[in-house]
Amino acid sequence: MIATDETPLLRARGLKKSFGHLEALREGNLIVNRREVVAIVGDNGAGKSTFISCIAGAIKPDAGEVFLNGNPLELGSIHAAMRAGIATVYQDLAMAPDLSVAENIFLSTEIRRRGIAGRLGLIDHKAMRARASALMDELGITTLGDVTATAGSLSGGQRQVVAVARAVSRAGELIILDEPTAALGAKQSQIVLDTIHAMRERGFGVVLISHDLPRVLDIADRIVVMRFGRVVAEVAPKGQTVRHIVSLMLGEQSAAEESAGS
Amino acid sequence: MTLSNVKTDSEPAQESSRPKPAEQRSGPWSALLGSSALRSTTFYVACAVIALALIFALLTSGNFLSTPNLQSIGRNSAGLMLLAVGLAFVLGAGHIDLSVGSTLVLASVVSAKVTVALSGSGGAGWAITIGAICGVLTGAGMGLLNGVLVTRLRINSFVVTLGTMGVGIGLAQVITNGSNVIGLPTVIQRNFGVANWFSIPLPLLLALVVSLIGAGVLTQTAFGRHTLATGSSETGSRRAGVKVDRTTIGVFLMAGTAAGLAGFLDITRFGTTAISGHETTMLQALSAVIIGGTSLFGGRASVLGAMIATFISTVLLAGFVMIGVSSFYQRIAIGVVLIIAVWVDRVRQARANTT
Ligand SMILES: Nc1ncnc2c1ncn2[C@@H]1O[C@H](COP(=O)(O)OP(=O)(O)OP(=O)(O)O)[C@@H](O)[C@H]1O
Ligand SMILES: [Mg+2]
């Protein structure tokens, strides 16, 4: 497929994933364009995390395909997704609690020392600390004391902020955030939402999973609703109410529509 | 990206009040020691070793600190230290390797057999070198086998290495028919096993050099970070892009290789193998690693701590022998120290999780 202006940044088609008998993801379809924030909403257990994990390579789907800029993405490979420019904030944050904040931010992308030392695999702790600190300052994150603290010693919210910072620093084209503000106070939430906004302005595609529907209505360009492992609706936030979205999530609206239609 | 618009007026002050990354004194030693918690553990362990030595010195009116005795302790510690360093990586990655003692024995047998077979035809130096290489490769092979079994078959490392522990010692007995290999060239002892360099036993010197390289790998390389990350959270590390399987195979390979080298050191000491003399070696090494500050639950490891803690068991044994206490008490003492060390680790872990 040739990438044209109309080629979406991301196209996921027919993704399916079962855990034993449980069909966690029955039909995952998603299109994300550049400069676009797509929100995925759905009740607990609707399959949102499973869906984005299939796109990010953390889970290998049983069926389906993913294209980035029209090119097929190797499924089930975190490295392929990372190389293609996808960065992800997982719901569980994917941190190593015993490592420091700086080490977590650069986990698997460590800064090497210059010259022979670097070629021998030696890493530059000092540069990593300095850059991690600078990253926090750039994002305006104020909740964090010290980038040498271990991730395990942080509060849930602080850890979440670190995970967001890491994904922002790694993203090439697409950033996926699975409930990135769940544990955050008002101020740090705002920082994350501003960051999402800024990334979109810079041309990134953003996938945001959130249960905070008022915020979703505020920030998303499109809202994708999932129910029982399926994408069941896609709506533009303009003119939408939280109530209507909730009814879509729970299936009440469609039932009402169906009965009205028949 | 600049998001300065997010900041309010009060914030520049906050920004400057954030402690900048600690400008630690980065001498080579403090760099190898790792975090401050591990530094203090290493310090306490070193104090314990010195205290033990001083107590035995008092009880033996100074004889304990004689050069020959200290050298003997050093020679006894060399192989154990290598095992401990390898285990520090394995435990740091959240696994365990029960097979290192067996691997040591198997490697010593292979090494001895090869040396004996070759020393008839050519020079002894040649034969010993090839024997040493074969021993190290045997260890590496066992380590690789462990790593591949753990990552490919997804079997718990406790079970895998319990199995290969039996395989290793069994193979050693099959190869030798149960009797120790004799007839090794005597230069293996004279020129290496019992030789010294400026009073330092050569085997200990070799173990120290290898171990310090190990300390550097753990604290200064990406592989070292990935080892601890894997032990800290396997899923998290994988999702952050760490090649978890490669790292896991790597740590088992290191432990096996170190055990292989220790197996070679073993035959240079007495000029023969000691097939049934290593039943408690693995437990001694494991105790040293844990006492030295490595977490049994992964994520934290200290090579330097393990190195120093190695001396606890060798000093205890030498001391007990000198003051006429049965060496059986050494095992009891190590057992008690091990339990205390694990308990201290638990307490430390609990405290770290609540702050
Ligand atoms: N690794 C797994 N093994 C077995 N079942 C799983 C696994 N991961 C998810 N599931 C199941 O799949 C279903 C979908 O889970 P998923 O985490 O995708 O939901 P979600 O929409 O992200 O929910 P939440 O809003 O609570 O995060 C759930 O029923 C969950 O129990
Ligand atoms: Mg989820």
Side-chain angles (χ1 to χ4, degrees):
Chain A
M1 199 188 293
I2 301 149
T4 64
D5 279 354
E6 295 97 83
T7 313
L9 173 61
L10 176 90
R11 175 196 289 274
R13 223 167 30 199
L15 291 177
K16 293 181 184 21
K17 179 70 193 176
S18 297
F19 298 106
H21 291 298
L22 183 94
E23 292 177 84
L25 183 62
R26 293 160 201 253
E27 188 67 40
N29 298 310
L30 185 68
I31 285 177
V32 182
N33 296 301
R34 290 169 206 85
R35 272 180 205 285
E36 186 179 42
V37 177
V38 177
I40 302 180
V41 300
D43 204 358
N44 294 116
K48 306 180 294 295
S49 296
T50 306
F51 189 17
I52 62 101
S53 295
C54 288
I55 295 169
I59 291 179
K60 186 166 187 164
D62 302 328
E65 41 193 1
V66 176
F67 299 92
L68 205 76
N69 287 319
N71 304 312
L73 187 69
E74 183 191 342
L75 295 177
S77 164
I78 288 166
H79 294 108
M82 281 174 74
R83 267 197 308 275
I86 301 177
T88 311
V89 179
Y90 291 94
Q91 197 164 6
D92 66 9
L93 306 181
M95 293 270 151
D98 294 293
L99 265 50
S100 73
V101 167
E103 288 169 334
N104 267 291
I105 286 177
F106 290 102
L107 190 52
S108 86
T109 59
E110 288 84 4
I111 303 174
R112 298 283 172 100
R113 289 200 206 164
R114 282 160 201 270
I116 302 173
R119 233 167 287 153
L120 285 173
L122 270 71
I123 52 183
D124 192 340
H125 288 288
K126 216 166 153 186
M128 278 165 41
R129 287 195 292 263
R131 280 230 228 141
S133 233
L135 179 66
M136 296 297 160
D137 288 343
E138 249 173 70
L139 297 180
I141 291 164
T142 52
T143 172
L144 213 65
D146 176 359
V147 293
T148 62
T150 61
S153 70
L154 303 182
S155 75
Q158 288 171 324
R159 250 196 306 279
Q160 207 154 40
V161 160
V162 172
V164 171
R166 174 168 74 185
V168 167
S169 73
R170 289 183 181 190
E173 304 221 46
L174 177 75
I175 185 167
I176 302 174
L177 306 101
D178 194 348
E179 300 192 30
T181 58
L184 296 186
K187 186 168 165 201
Q188 306 301 323
S189 275
Q190 196 53 50
I191 290 174
V192 169
L193 293 171
D194 287 334
T195 303
I196 290 172
H197 200 77
M199 303 245 357
R200 174 178 59 182
E201 293 311 300
R202 287 168 59 206
F204 283 81
V206 181
V207 176
L208 171 70
I209 297 178
S210 176
H211 288 290
D212 185 349
L213 296 178
R215 276 241 167 76
V216 163
L217 284 175
D218 204 37
I219 195 168
D221 297 305
R222 263 183 312 128
I223 300 174
V224 167
V225 183
M226 286 187 74
R227 189 167 71 234
F228 298 134
R230 275 201 178 81
V231 172
V232 290
E234 196 183 302
V235 294
K238 209 160 191 172
Q240 288 290 344
T241 59
V242 168
R243 178 185 283 262
H244 180 231
I245 300 213
V246 168
S247 64
L248 284 172
M249 281 164 54
L250 300 179
E252 289 155 2
Q253 184 69 24
S254 62
E257 273 166 5
E258 272 159 26
S259 59
S262 61
Chain B
M1 182 189 325
T2 14
L3 295 165
S4 40
N5 55 324
V6 177
K7 295 177 190 167
T8 63
D9 292 341
S10 66
E11 276 174 21
Q14 252 177 333
E15 211 178 294
S16 55
S17 72
R18 172 192 299 166
K20 287 294 166 195
E23 288 302 328
Q24 292 152 331
R25 277 186 307 128
S26 45
W29 292 106
S30 64
L32 290 180
L33 275 160
S35 77
S36 57
L38 289 177
R39 250 172 250 197
S40 65
T41 307
T42 310
F43 176 72
Y44 290 133
V45 173
C47 290
V49 170
I50 291 168
L52 275 177
L54 290 180
I55 290 169
F56 285 125
L58 281 177
L59 294 175
T60 60
S61 54
N63 284 342
F64 188 82
L65 297 179
S66 71
T67 309
N69 193 49
L70 291 182
Q71 286 174 332
S72 155
I73 292 174
R75 272 190 287 274
N76 286 341
S77 306
L80 210 51
M81 185 180 287
L82 289 173
L83 293 192
V85 169
L87 278 177
F89 278 85
V90 174
L91 264 67
H95 290 280
I96 196 157
D97 188 345
L98 303 175
S99 71
V100 288
S102 284
T103 299
L104 184 159
V105 172
L106 179 62
S108 74
V109 162
V110 170
S111 199
K113 279 274 181 195
V114 170
T115 306
V116 169
L118 293 180
S119 60
S121 50
W126 231 107
I128 294 168
T129 309
I130 303 286
I133 292 171
C134 289
V136 171
L137 288 179
T138 304
M142 288 292 285
L144 194 62
L145 177 68
N146 284 330
V148 168
L149 289 177
V150 168
T151 53
R152 292 285 172 272
L153 305 186
R154 308 236 156 264
I155 306 173
N156 179 291
S157 59
F158 186 92
V159 177
V160 165
T161 59
L162 192 63
T164 54
M165 173 168 85
V167 171
I169 195 79
L171 273 177
Q173 281 160 341
V174 167
I175 292 172
T176 59
N177 220 351
S179 50
N180 280 310
V181 183
I182 50 165
L184 282 159
T186 49
V187 290
I188 206 171
Q189 275 178 287
R190 204 162 2 105
N191 288 358
F192 185 75
V194 297
N196 302 311
W197 182 77
F198 289 103
S199 301
I200 305 170
L202 282 185
L204 178 65
L205 199 64
L206 180 67
L208 286 173
V209 170
V210 171
S211 301
L212 285 176
I213 293 173
V217 169
L218 184 69
T219 57
Q220 303 300 318
T221 69
F223 175 76
R225 293 301 91 188
H226 296 174
T227 297
L228 297 184
T230 300
S232 194
S233 165
E234 192 180 315
T235 319
S237 303
R238 186 170 275 132
R239 289 178 166 187
V242 174
K243 289 175 174 143
V244 167
D245 287 358
R246 225 164 73 172
T247 306
T248 306
I249 292 175
V251 297
F252 281 105
L253 185 61
M254 285 180 71
T257 309
L261 186 56
F264 171 71
L265 292 188
D266 206 53
I267 62 169
T268 68
R269 180 82 205 277
F270 297 108
T272 175
T273 55
I275 297 176
S276 52
H278 288 287
E279 271 146 12
T280 60
T281 303
M282 180 270 292
L283 281 180
Q284 278 184 52
L286 196 58
S287 311
V289 175
I290 294 165
I291 292 167
T294 296
S295 168
L296 195 48
F297 312 102
R300 273 181 299 116
S302 166
V303 168
L304 225 51
M307 287 169 68
I308 296 171
T310 304
F311 290 102
I312 288 189
S313 68
T314 49
V315 164
L316 272 177
L317 181 64
F320 283 166
V321 168
M322 269 191 132
I323 62 173
V325 174
S326 161
S327 65
F328 299 148
Y329 284 100
Q330 180 225 15
R331 293 193 189 171
I332 297 175
I334 303 285
V336 171
V337 174
L338 173 62
I339 291 170
I340 293 173
V342 173
W343 175 68
V344 168
D345 178 43
R346 257 264 139 87
V347 171
R348 205 162 34 190
Q349 187 103 338
R351 199 173 300 160
N353 288 346
T354 50
T355 49

